[in-house]
Amino acid sequence: MVLGGGEADGTGRELRGRDRAMDEALGALYGRAGAGRDGAGRSAGGRRAAGLGASAPGVARWLGDIRTYFPSPVVQIMQRDAIDRLGLAALLMEPEMLEAVEADVHLVGTLLTLHKAMPETTRESARAVVRKVVAQLEQRLATRTRATLTGALDRSARTARPRHRDIDWDRTLRANLKNYLPEHRTVVPERLIGYGRAARSVRKEVVLCVDQSGSMAASVVHASVFGAVLASMRTLDTRLVVFDTSVVDLTDQLDDPVDVLFGAQLGGGTDINRALAYCQSRITRPADTVVVLISDLYEGGVRDGMLKRVAAMKASGVQFICLLALSDEGAPTYDREHAAALAALGAPAFACTPDRFPEVMAAAIEKRPLFIPDMPEQR
């Protein structure tokens, strides 16, 4: 759809009513730069121009307009563009602004980078916004994650005397192919292979090691939600570690992902080697442990040390996964050399959407090969 009617738009038609209001809302963000802008993005002569002005009321009105005229996904994109293009992040430290925005994962990332500079009057509003987004993510992801991983934990305990409903027919048939009877066109299963039901005492350890550099904001949000979901499962011991050049263990806050997020410090450098050293020191049962490194692999620490730690963990029996991003965004920017080095160690690095994460974890728990998306731009 093309809106407009000024001489720069070239349509030769004058907009009225709702169409004119939509055009002005778009022009405030995407129009030409001009002098004499007001809070709605109009120049002194009424021509559309870029800019939302510097006043919080003017921006709050604009936020209300775009929520009126555009669907939620479009509103979220426009908000991100306004923050990036027009430097409106500082205005998010005012409570009335937070009440006007459309909350999403990207906004949460922005708030987390600002929260230490926020005045006390704004922090509760910011927490309310973050809690709303976290609740939406939990509603979307929690049930499926628990169901998928519960099944994986049950299947991870193999038994040679399974009940009928627990027989793994694929493995059973392959193990008994030598007993094929051509005249009857059937296989005699002398040995049954099945799934054991995981007892409450059977536990796996999961370590989420999350890069909290500024580019990983969406991944930090999703990892915090998944960490809380995994921690709620009795058959899993879950640890959440976030890092930049320092390492912070947030495991004791996993009962509330909002506390986890406000305990993170987005931005700063990256020392993956140091973070992996900490995680490695906390592993007590390597053969029953899954380590998930979520990072774009731009290492500021000791590269060879990082690779040696990954190799050592894998040699001890740890299932090691590297996710370049845990978000709904497209292919991430990442260090290709380090990704290739990890792949050579048998730890391929790939991006993962939140919807696919439960299947990735299930494969790791069952020690099945991981499905690596065929995305050339990630290689």
Side-chain angles (χ1 to χ4, degrees):
M1 179 177 69
V2 177
L3 295 175
E7 59 185 17
D9 297 316
T11 64
R13 301 184 64 87
E14 181 181 356
L15 295 176
R16 300 179 183 277
R18 184 182 178 89
D19 288 343
R20 180 181 178 86
M22 292 174 68
D23 182 58
E24 289 174 350
L26 288 167
L29 178 57
Y30 301 113
R32 295 183 306 151
R37 296 187 299 268
D38 66 10
R42 290 183 293 271
S43 67
R47 183 181 302 170
R48 191 174 65 171
L52 295 173
S55 71
V59 177
R61 283 195 299 272
W62 178 79
L63 288 168
D65 287 346
I66 63 174
R67 293 176 72 175
T68 299
Y69 301 131
F70 303 103
S72 182
V74 176
V75 170
Q76 293 169 3
I77 292 171
M78 293 178 72
Q79 286 177 172
R80 293 203 299 271
D81 287 347
I83 291 169
D84 294 340
R85 291 163 59 101
L86 303 175
L88 298 182
L91 291 177
L92 292 176
M93 290 192 284
E94 302 188 25
E96 62 268 25
M97 286 292 298
L98 290 176
E99 294 170 2
V101 294
E102 184 81 17
D104 68 344
V105 170
H106 300 280
L107 179 64
V108 168
T110 301
L111 292 177
L112 294 179
T113 62
L114 297 172
H115 81 272
K116 290 193 180 300
M118 285 181 176
E120 195 64 36
T121 55
T122 306
R123 288 182 183 174
E124 282 307 310
S125 297
R127 288 185 72 90
V129 170
V130 173
R131 191 170 296 281
K132 176 182 177 181
V133 173
V134 166
Q136 291 170 345
L137 290 174
E138 284 185 311
Q139 184 177 18
R140 167 188 162 193
L141 301 170
T143 300
R144 182 183 177 193
T145 300
R146 292 192 185 99
T148 301
L149 297 191
T150 297
L153 288 162
D154 284 344
R155 292 189 296 270
S156 66
R158 298 287 177 183
T159 177
R161 300 180 64 183
R163 290 174 291 184
H164 184 271
R165 67 175 179 270
D166 295 331
I167 295 174
D168 183 339
W169 289 108
D170 183 58
R171 285 174 177 254
T172 295
L173 289 173
R174 280 186 284 158
N176 290 277
L177 286 176
K178 63 182 179 180
N179 301 321
Y180 179 66
L181 301 179
E183 64 274 22
H184 297 289
R185 301 180 66 183
T186 190
V187 171
V188 178
E190 291 183 350
R191 183 166 67 93
L192 298 177
I193 300 175
Y195 307 124
R197 294 293 160 183
R200 289 191 176 188
S201 59
V202 176
R203 301 178 68 86
K204 296 284 185 179
E205 296 182 8
V206 175
V207 181
L208 301 179
C209 185
V210 187
D211 184 344
Q212 60 176 352
S213 58
S215 60
M216 301 295 294
S219 296
V220 172
V221 175
H222 286 113
S224 299
V225 172
F226 277 118
V229 173
L230 298 181
S232 71
M233 299 179 65
R234 294 182 179 181
T235 48
L236 290 178
D237 257 334
T238 303
R239 183 176 296 276
L240 176 64
V241 176
V242 298
F243 68 92
D244 42 35
T245 53
S246 60
V247 180
V248 181
D249 192 328
L250 297 175
T251 303
D252 61 352
Q253 299 179 36
L254 277 175
D255 59 330
D256 188 345
V258 176
D259 286 342
V260 169
L261 289 171
F262 279 95
Q265 177 62 60
L266 291 176
T270 307
D271 192 337
I272 303 172
N273 178 52
R274 185 175 182 180
L276 291 180
Y278 176 85
C279 294
Q280 187 178 24
S281 71
R282 296 301 186 271
I283 294 173
T284 59
R285 294 179 295 158
D288 293 322
T289 299
V290 179
V291 174
V292 184
L293 171 64
I294 304 175
S295 173
D296 54 16
L297 297 179
Y298 286 108
E299 171 66 311
V302 182
R303 174 187 183 273
D304 290 342
M306 173 187 74
L307 297 176
K308 287 179 181 178
R309 291 193 190 283
V310 173
M313 281 191 276
K314 286 187 62 64
S316 70
V318 170
Q319 294 294 106
F320 190 92
I321 304 170
C322 179
L323 302 182
L324 301 168
L326 180 57
S327 71
D328 287 310
E329 299 173 351
T333 301
Y334 63 96
D335 189 303
R336 296 171 185 272
E337 182 180 348
H338 289 166
L342 287 177
L345 296 174
F350 57 98
C352 179
T353 64
D355 287 330
R356 281 197 58 236
F357 184 73
E359 283 74 24
V360 170
M361 289 300 299
I365 287 172
E366 296 180 65
K367 299 184 178 181
R368 293 186 280 108
L370 298 177
F371 171 74
I372 309 301
D374 186 17
M375 298 179 65
E377 64 269 26
Q378 293 187 12
R379 294 176 181 169

